[in-house]
Amino acid sequence: MSEQIGEKRTQPYIIDLMTLYLPAKDPYLTAKWYVDVFGFDPNASSHSPLQPNTDLVVLHTASGLSLFFIQSEDKLTLNFNNKDGYNHAVLLFRVKNSEIEKIYLRMKELGVELTTDGIKDRGGCGREIAFYDPDGRKVEINTYGT
């Protein structure tokens, strides 16, 4: 007998998140910013490597998540306020605890727009940096579980 939708499961049907499609006013400049700040391999994608005057650039995280920066005039800030007024970023990337200080210094050196000064210690939730990328998206990096 086949499994019915709604039956109790121990694992969800969804395995993993594999791709984020993100609008970018200039995909090259946005992707280059991520390469410069976070060390992405600019040529990891044979489909759409980092090159000027393109409408699509693909970058890959160490875990295999693909970030598609697609030419668009739409602005998608990816943040919201909870009932207590805390402003959450939808994009939260995990980094190694041993790397967060280096990343913070790199961000300061490059003039990245940070939402707070310094690395925020969130206790059991890790250490965190919140910032805005070139397209105005609020993004956070966090050391949780590393």
Side-chain angles (χ1 to χ4, degrees):
M1 182 171 162
S2 66
E3 187 174 347
Q4 298 294 312
I5 301 292
E7 288 184 16
K8 185 174 176 149
R9 293 180 47 88
T10 57
Q11 294 291 319
Y13 291 102
I14 295 174
I15 297 169
D16 199 0
L17 180 63
M18 57 185 249
T19 304
L20 289 174
Y21 297 103
L22 300 168
K25 188 170 186 166
D26 184 327
Y28 169 75
L29 291 179
T30 297
K32 184 176 182 327
W33 184 89
Y34 277 82
V35 167
D36 292 345
V37 174
F38 298 111
F40 281 93
D41 179 351
N43 299 305
S45 173
S46 58
H47 175 341
S48 297
L50 183 65
Q51 56 188 355
N53 303 317
T54 186
D55 60 356
L56 171 67
V57 176
V58 180
L59 300 176
H60 301 286
T61 67
S63 67
L65 174 70
S66 297
L67 302 172
F68 279 62
F69 294 104
I70 302 170
Q71 173 90 46
S72 176
E73 292 299 320
D74 293 342
K75 189 169 183 173
L76 188 61
T77 60
L78 297 177
N79 60 300
F80 64 95
N81 294 319
N82 70 10
K83 67 180 180 74
D84 298 322
Y86 180 79
N87 188 260
H88 286 273
V90 172
L91 286 176
L92 174 64
F93 296 111
R94 186 167 48 164
V95 298
K96 293 179 180 178
N97 191 46
S98 61
E99 299 291 323
I100 198 163
E101 297 283 342
K102 291 180 208 168
I103 293 169
Y104 176 74
L105 292 174
R106 180 80 176 141
M107 290 175 132
K108 293 289 278 187
E109 176 185 309
L110 293 171
V112 172
E113 183 183 354
L114 301 169
T115 65
T116 58
D117 191 30
I119 299 169
K120 185 175 182 179
D121 187 343
R122 305 235 16 230
C125 293
R127 296 166 62 207
E128 184 174 280
I129 303 170
F131 56 93
Y132 294 98
D133 78 1
D135 291 295
R137 276 182 285 273
K138 184 175 181 183
V139 183
E140 296 174 350
I141 59 172
N142 189 289
T143 63
Y144 179 78
T146 64

